[in-house]
Amino acid sequence: MAVDSNLSSPLGPPACEKDAKALRFIEEMTRNADVVQQNLLAEILRRNAETEYLRRFNLGGATDRETFKSKLPIITYEDLQPEIQRIADGDRSPILSSHPISEFLTSSGTSAGERKLMPTIKEELDRRQLLYSLLMPVMNLYVPGLDKGKGMYFLFVKSETKTPGGLPARPVLTSYYKSEHFRSRPYDPYNVYTSPNEAILCPDSFQSMYTQMLCGLLDRLSVLRVGAVFASGLLRAIRFLQLNWSRFAHDIESGCLDSEITDSSIRECMSGILKPDPELAEFIRQECESDNWERIITRIWPNTKYLDVIVTGAMAQYIPTLEYYSGGLPMACTMYASSECYFGLNLNPMSKPSEVSYTIMPNMAYFEFIPLGGTKAVELVDVKIGKEYELVVTTYAGLCRYRVGDILRVTGFHNSAPQFHFVRRKNVLLSIDSDKTDESELQKAVENASKLLHEECGSRVAEYTSYADTSTIPGHYVLYWELLVRDAARHPSHETLTRCCLEMEESLNSVYRQCRVADNSVGPLEIRVVKNGTFEELMDYAISRGASINQYKVPRCVNFTPIVELLDSRVVSAHFSPALPHWTPERRRR
Ligand code: AMP
């Protein structure tokens, strides 16, 4: 469609009028970033002035940044835990926000082994929706013709619970997919998905994935983009196809949906979609039966122009595998968001994963940045190119000066809004999917397993390190153990070591166990016992590369290939967790 020339945007010529409006909005927000931030904070402080939390700090009606920053402390989740617990227990007084807390969003970050509960209010859905509405107008600047086909996205809802006070507690995407905003979205030719809502909203992950993949296969020639939220999710879909292609071929040949799909709304919706197509069934068999799955995405969905998945941060480990399956298609990381708040978007979504930068949108929340190693937080517009910062947010829902735990590096500016490279999440050692395991959680897990080892055969774990092995799908945690065996006659048996694997899994946080049990997105934990002296060799290696002998500490996680190779070359035995750890959607009370 030809677009009126006066609609043109500094970002590029928009694809349609609706896009022009969205791009103008981005321009307006980023040009006036400082004023937008100042006004937004004032608005939050005005409307929440009578909350218990703000009253505690005697702002005296002030809504300016200086007073706010001088009177309120920068906090973490633990600081807010008592208030959050009261809200969860049913206290409806304005504790954090003058607007009622509508639900809790369960973050993949944990506290005391359970998911963090992030309070949110109804109108935040509109703010999230607004950020989503900016993504395609930006993408259309780089990839033309996306209105001529569909997106094959693997999207899932997860289980939800109610807090003792009756508020829903669920992941932010589950909340979004179940909302009217998503379910009753108006038709938009740039945002047509192959997955029916019935499949996305099905709580059974097998039936949901099966139906979404089947619909993607049936509509394979319309597919112009393939995605999931995170890279691990897309790889799980490919693995699912590997395991189930003959069932799909059978359904497509016969026009009958597999009997394991029992969800009535899915069956009803598929009865209008699934028709016998023996030719397509034969094509799928031919493509899938070979052992060679290189470029499988472009072979089955030949019109795919790009993958839409986050491959920044911990997800970067999946880039080579995705390149293999897609024949090197571009990977677009479109947005940066969390349960606390949606932050911003990538204005150059076709950039290489290593060069991705997110522009924080100043209308989403009030943002501050603590320089790494410093204490004094600076404003959004005052960050310096090349420097690293920890992100702090103040949200409409009532989080005030809250540390998100993400470390970001400034790469540049769009107008006056800074752009950030996601560097890492603070304190995360291991991550395969949405699980995040920190050093103390891993330490505790090893201690518990070591205790078991000691009880069963008198041995101890002398040294350990870990590795996120993503060479298979799903990936899994590997623990390298050097043992202290006191009595050679009681050398730990294979059975004991497998029990140690399970003991460690039982000790890990609820997000890890959910990934193992409900999502099947993390495989069984593995212990690789290494020869005595291996950890000394590891130290020698580090010292030969310049580490100081005095300050040397065993790394509790390794990912540098020569070190992993060294460890692997010293492995004497390997053991996997023999069963699933316990997990239920219910939260443990603190
Ligand atoms: P959650 O609280 O479970 O919603 O997870 C949010 C966290 O996921 C963020 O704070 C980041 O650490 C991470 N995350 C979200 N979006 C991105 C992204 N585009 N790139 C890297 N990490 C991300």
Side-chain angles (χ1 to χ4, degrees), residues 212-256:
Q212 296 194 52
M213 182 58 85
L214 181 58
C215 290
L217 291 169
L218 290 167
D219 223 355
R220 69 183 192 98
L221 296 176
S222 322
V223 170
L224 302 182
R225 49 202 174 110
V226 169
V229 179
F230 289 113
S232 54
L234 182 54
L235 287 171
R236 197 144 47 88
I238 293 169
R239 179 75 192 143
F240 191 88
L241 180 61
Q242 255 169 354
L243 296 173
N244 294 289
W245 58 265
S246 61
R247 288 167 80 168
F248 290 127
H250 180 267
D251 289 8
I252 293 171
E253 187 162 51
S254 64
C256 297

Side-chain angles (χ1 to χ4, degrees), residues 23 26 134-142 345-349:
L23 299 180
I26 295 173
L134 305 176
L135 304 182
M136 284 315 282
V138 171
M139 188 52 87
N140 291 337
L141 296 171
Y142 297 89
L345 76 173
N346 180 357
L347 294 179
N348 187 7

Side-chain angles (χ1 to χ4, degrees), residues 107-109 172 230 310 312-313 335-340 343 358 404 406 422 425 436:
S107 160
S108 60
V172 61
F230 289 113
I310 292 177
T312 42
M335 68 187 283
Y336 169 42
S338 78
S339 312
E340 294 85 331
F343 305 119
Y358 299 101
V404 173
D406 288 349
F422 181 93
R425 182 148 181 119
K436 299 177 175 71

